[in-house]
Amino acid sequence: MQQATRTTEEEILRLVRDHDPSTVGVYEQCRYHLGLDGSTGVSGKRMRPLLGLLAYASITGDHRAALPGAAAVELGHNFSLVHDDIEDGDSERRHRPTLWSLHGIPQAINTGDMLFSLSRIALHRLTDLGFSDRKVLRLMRLYDETCVALCEGQYIDIATSEADEVMSVELYFDMIGRKTAALIAASIEAGALLATDDEHVIARYRAFGWALGIAFQVNDDLLGIWGEEQATGKEPTDVARRKKTLPVIYAFEHAGHDDRARLAALYEPKSPSEAAVREIVAILERTGARDYTRTQAQLHRDRALAELDAAGVVLPDARARLEEIIVRVISA
Amino acid sequence: MQQATRTTEEEILRLVRDHDPSTVGVYEQCRYHLGLDGSTGVSGKRMRPLLGLLAYASITGDHRAALPGAAAVELGHNFSLVHDDIEDGDSERRHRPTLWSLHGIPQAINTGDMLFSLSRIALHRLTDLGFSDRKVLRLMRLYDETCVALCEGQYIDIATSEADEVMSVELYFDMIGRKTAALIAASIEAGALLATDDEHVIARYRAFGWALGIAFQVNDDLLGIWGEEQATGKEPTDVARRKKTLPVIYAFEHAGHDDRARLAALYEPKSPSEAAVREIVAILERTGARDYTRTQAQLHRDRALAELDAAGVVLPDARARLEEIIVRVISA
């Protein structure tokens, strides 16, 4: 898998190399954000491209021809991160200053747009690798529809975070479907699409990816409150940062009258005290939010694996590597 | 031409219609920015799609099959406007509040991304209209490379506007080539590409569009200082707003020592007084910046028309309408 990650990064580096002296700066910004500027340990997990490459390899036995698709997915994911960081006002990502906090909002918006544009350029190399025009176009349509879904999900996220009311559990799943599951599903569907013409197999891989994407986000929400820092590399700070993730949304919907009123009061201040954080977590556990969230992550992870088995073509070696990733990212 | 504009707007409206109740807001924002929300007189000139449609019609005799390309170009142009308005801090466009000043920067960044995504979706309808996969893919590559150029141009624009030094005339032409001419050239090249397989004709149309794009921007810079409001609908406020457009850049490069020092001093304050504006304009005229800028606009406009003639296939009716637009937008 390290091999697949390295070749994906080489594929991306070709796209963000310098062209003309007058435009070096914008490519430097791209490389910085992608963690491809020579720094170490700042590049992100590359989970999305890896899943796509493994999906392709699980049908064909080799991942290499799918590299342009993997590069597109990773560039597209990173375009959305650059813009998310501005939209959320986050000044750090992967222990480094975010692009906007280094270069200002105008340059960061534009560099996000550049990463988006380059993600499209990545896909054209599939033609050079011998994929039919029909296949490349179908992949592009999948990618374009996924980008629309991403923006729809982000719209819901911003709108609900600015609203007074906490969103419903139903709207939460609607949102993460568009914002998170769509790109993970597209990456895996793209891998299958490039590997086979069998529509049954393609549909199963898509369903696998969708369920995995939901499981991934729900599990992320679980770890954001109850994760162990040494296991995840992230501090469980979602409550202190007042993020309305699934456990909180569930608790607001299912808590009794008194607990709901108390939760609302505790979420009022901009930064809750340590005592308030402890009390919030206690209410979440009392209302069953932790169990519910863990169960949802497990349920979607199991559904993902069942869809993969239903596809019926998976090579054993690739299947083992897919399971390894799934177990690693979904620890619920 | 009103017919072509109306059908382009119908093509765009299909793409920005409401889908699901949870995402209505983001499509409302798209329609608002595009001036397709029922308001009148706020929709922009639709110059770019119109040029593409006329290029197509000038070879085939009818514009309709090129509508998806026209919609893509207009959506792409408007994505860049939404982000430009944030990057420049502009609170008004076409006499209405800009998207970010109504909905905040986070939503406006995301709605710009949505317009970008939808511009790609627009192109897929070319397949339904019977264009070959090869042709559609070539058009997409042209569009994707144009978006990269747009972001490169925008990078130069932001970087130089934040710098202490005024950019060189050479860098100015480099910048507007990417930021303005590339999309106008792509729109016209796309029209030709869809209409014919003759590479000579396609190349001439591209060169026509490129020269026209340069002429358009240079002329815009001229009008920004010496335009008549009644003729252009815009106030000539570039000097008062301290914009470093071609006449100013030329003057900084060619003025004598005293005039240059005086210009630098006059451009120091955030908002120059009316007397300072008059003195700046006098220096620009004295250093020949006005004549130089007018000559450059005329030179590129004439080159554009010569390229169009060199293509040698233009139907007389479409040629007349193209000239009409060119004369209307480039009054130098």
Side-chain angles (χ1 to χ4, degrees), chain A residues 19-310:
Chain A
H19 299 267
D20 304 313
S22 60
T23 61
V24 165
V26 68
Y27 292 100
E28 278 174 354
Q29 287 181 45
C30 289
R31 293 193 295 269
Y32 172 83
H33 172 78
L34 291 161
L36 297 177
D37 58 340
S39 309
T40 52
V42 292
S43 63
K45 295 184 295 287
R46 315 286 189 214
M47 177 186 75
R48 288 158 188 80
L50 203 51
L51 285 169
L53 293 175
L54 284 176
Y56 182 80
S58 70
I59 301 172
T60 63
D62 190 85
H63 70 266
R64 280 170 295 182
L67 281 167
V73 164
E74 184 66 5
L75 285 165
H77 173 55
N78 278 281
F79 126 69
S80 77
L81 294 181
V82 169
H83 284 184
D84 277 12
D85 285 341
I86 306 169
E87 289 157 18
D88 299 341
D90 287 338
S91 55
E92 269 205 13
R93 172 174 295 280
R94 299 171 199 140
H95 311 292
R96 294 201 300 179
T98 49
L99 215 49
W100 73 264
S101 67
L102 273 184
H103 295 277
I105 288 177
Q107 285 292 16
I109 293 175
N110 186 60
T111 301
D113 294 339
M114 177 60 108
L115 289 167
F116 197 179
S117 304
L118 292 171
S119 73
R120 312 281 338 190
I121 299 280
L123 292 174
H124 291 288
R125 209 171 77 82
L126 290 166
T127 303
D128 307 335
L129 293 177
F131 289 101
S132 72
D133 292 342
R134 172 105 326 178
K135 201 125 232 181
V136 176
L137 266 183
R138 180 163 163 186
L139 198 73
M140 287 190 173
R141 192 187 283 253
L142 167 62
Y143 183 67
D144 293 334
E145 287 168 353
T146 303
C147 292
V148 169
L150 269 178
C151 295
E152 290 177 340
Q154 186 66 1
Y155 163 76
I156 298 172
D157 198 6
I158 299 169
T160 52
S161 73
E162 289 169 350
D164 291 331
E165 292 283 294
V166 176
M167 79 172 100
S168 66
V169 169
E170 187 187 352
L171 184 56
Y172 167 86
F173 278 103
D174 181 14
M175 176 185 81
I176 68 164
R178 300 176 205 262
K179 192 178 149 89
T180 306
L183 187 59
I184 292 175
S187 180
I188 290 172
E189 181 179 354
L193 189 55
L194 291 174
T196 179
D197 291 325
D198 186 329
E199 294 296 340
H200 166 78
V201 171
I202 295 168
R204 292 277 71 77
Y205 270 77
R206 175 173 185 78
F208 158 54
W210 191 272
L212 184 63
I214 299 286
F216 169 72
Q217 185 59 57
V218 170
N219 183 67
D220 210 54
D221 286 8
L222 188 74
L223 295 178
I225 299 178
W226 292 284
E228 303 282 334
E229 192 181 347
Q230 62 268 40
T232 61
K234 284 186 205 168
E235 286 180 73
T237 57
D238 281 1
V239 173
R241 296 172 67 206
R242 299 168 76 247
K243 287 178 77 174
K244 307 272 174 62
T245 58
L246 182 58
V248 180
I249 292 163
Y250 177 89
F252 266 98
E253 201 166 292
H254 290 85
H257 179 270
D258 291 356
D259 271 349
R260 182 156 51 227
R262 187 70 194 134
L263 263 186
L266 288 164
Y267 266 101
E268 201 59 37
K270 285 253 178 232
S271 1
S273 66
E274 270 189 50
V277 168
R278 273 196 303 275
E279 191 181 347
I280 289 170
V281 172
I283 296 175
L284 297 182
E285 295 186 349
R286 189 156 67 229
T287 54
R290 182 179 189 170
D291 291 339
Y292 170 78
T293 306
R294 189 196 289 115
T295 306
Q296 285 295 315
Q298 289 168 344
L299 194 142
H300 285 92
R301 182 196 60 196
D302 294 346
R303 184 177 301 165
L305 288 168
E307 292 286 357
L308 186 58
D309 289 334

Side-chain angles (χ1 to χ4, degrees), chain B residues 278-328:
Chain B
R278 274 195 302 275
E279 191 180 347
I280 289 170
V281 172
I283 295 175
L284 297 181
E285 295 186 350
R286 187 155 71 227
T287 53
R290 181 179 190 169
D291 291 339
Y292 170 78
T293 306
R294 189 195 291 115
T295 306
Q296 284 297 314
Q298 289 168 344
L299 193 144
H300 284 93
R301 182 195 61 196
D302 294 345
R303 184 177 301 165
L305 288 168
E307 293 286 358
L308 186 58
D309 290 334
V313 291
V314 191
L315 300 174
D317 187 43
R319 158 84 200 210
R321 288 189 294 167
L322 277 169
E323 267 216 60
E324 195 186 318
I325 295 187
I326 294 164
V327 170
R328 182 150 51 90

